[in-house]
Amino acid sequence: MNRPTHVRDLPQPPLALVGHRQEEPPGPVPPRATQAGERPAQDTEGPPGDSRDPGRPSRQDGAAARPASQDAALRAELQERTADLQRLKAEYDNYRKRVHRDRLAVGEIAVANVLSRLLPVLDALAEAGEQGEVTGGFRRIAEALETELGALGLQPFGMAGAPFDPLIHEAVTYTPDDRLEESVCTAVLRQGYRVGDHLLRPAQVTVAGKPPAGA
């Protein structure tokens, strides 16, 4: 059969396979019929912290337990850091005291070294005073010098009648005397000096007293 040539663009039916039927989309599943006395099924997975299962810990309890453990760890760390700070503070205080003590010792040693070089000058002044040569303006200079040296910590010692101490006295002569209960300094030949705990030189003295036992 010949197709007319003057008929164009006519609508054509869609192609379909023979024996194939287009499937319809599935519909909603009807609810299952329940028997008499049967409860409908419920969702067993409840929200977090659901009290339906009393034997299972809820998430709220776990969240409350975690902050408590974190607080305990923070307290322990805080106590440890506090102990470290206290220990460091004690070490620093000891270091500061030691440095202060060392500075004082160094200062006393420096002053002692300078004053020990001035002892011959003081000896000359003392000898001149015994001879009556320290008078007028020269006497005022000697007194000012003694005052300034005393301000630096220079302390003279050694006087007649004081108990004899071998640590600070140097016995030039010794005279036995049973009338004395102990040895005493009868005369001072040369003045002794010290600065604080530093002995610059012992005092030269003459000693009299009871002889020591076994002498």
Side-chain angles (χ1 to χ4, degrees):
M1 181 178 181
N2 296 329
R3 182 179 178 180
T5 58
H6 62 277
V7 177
R8 296 179 179 179
D9 299 332
L10 294 176
Q12 297 181 3
L15 298 178
L17 297 179
V18 177
H20 179 74
R21 185 170 56 89
Q22 187 176 0
E23 296 181 357
E24 297 180 356
V29 179
R32 183 172 62 88
T34 58
Q35 298 178 0
E38 181 181 1
R39 297 179 60 184
Q42 296 180 356
D43 189 5
T44 58
E45 296 182 0
D50 192 0
S51 59
R52 296 174 183 175
D53 189 359
R56 181 181 179 182
S58 63
R59 294 186 179 180
Q60 293 180 355
D61 296 339
R66 282 195 299 271
S69 61
Q70 293 178 358
D71 292 343
L74 290 176
R75 292 193 194 96
E77 185 175 0
L78 179 60
Q79 293 178 355
E80 182 179 0
R81 296 295 181 268
T82 303
D84 293 340
L85 291 177
Q86 291 177 350
R87 183 167 55 254
L88 289 176
K89 183 179 182 300
E91 293 178 356
Y92 175 74
D93 292 339
N94 294 332
Y95 169 76
R96 184 177 58 183
K97 293 178 181 178
R98 185 171 62 253
V99 169
H100 180 67
R101 184 170 59 251
D102 294 342
R103 287 179 179 176
L104 292 179
V106 170
E108 289 181 356
I109 293 174
V111 173
N113 292 334
V114 173
L115 294 180
S116 62
R117 302 296 297 270
L118 296 176
L119 295 183
V121 178
L122 296 178
D123 294 339
L125 288 175
E127 184 178 356
E130 292 176 358
Q131 296 177 3
E133 297 178 356
V134 182
T135 59
F138 187 62
R139 184 178 182 84
R140 289 194 296 271
I141 294 175
E143 292 175 353
L145 178 60
E146 293 177 356
T147 301
E148 294 299 328
L149 294 180
L152 293 176
L154 183 64
Q155 300 175 1
F157 65 90
M159 57 184 303
F164 175 74
D165 187 355
L167 297 178
I168 60 175
H169 294 148
E170 180 182 352
V172 178
T173 62
Y174 176 76
T175 303
D177 190 348
D178 295 336
R179 296 173 299 176
L180 299 175
E181 296 294 333
E182 61 181 358
S183 299
V184 296
C185 301
T186 57
V188 178
L189 304 180
R190 189 182 68 176
Q191 196 79 35
Y193 291 95
R194 61 189 171 191
V195 177
D197 296 333
H198 298 276
L199 179 65
L200 298 184
R201 75 178 185 189
Q204 291 182 352
V205 297
T206 60
V207 182
K210 182 182 294 188

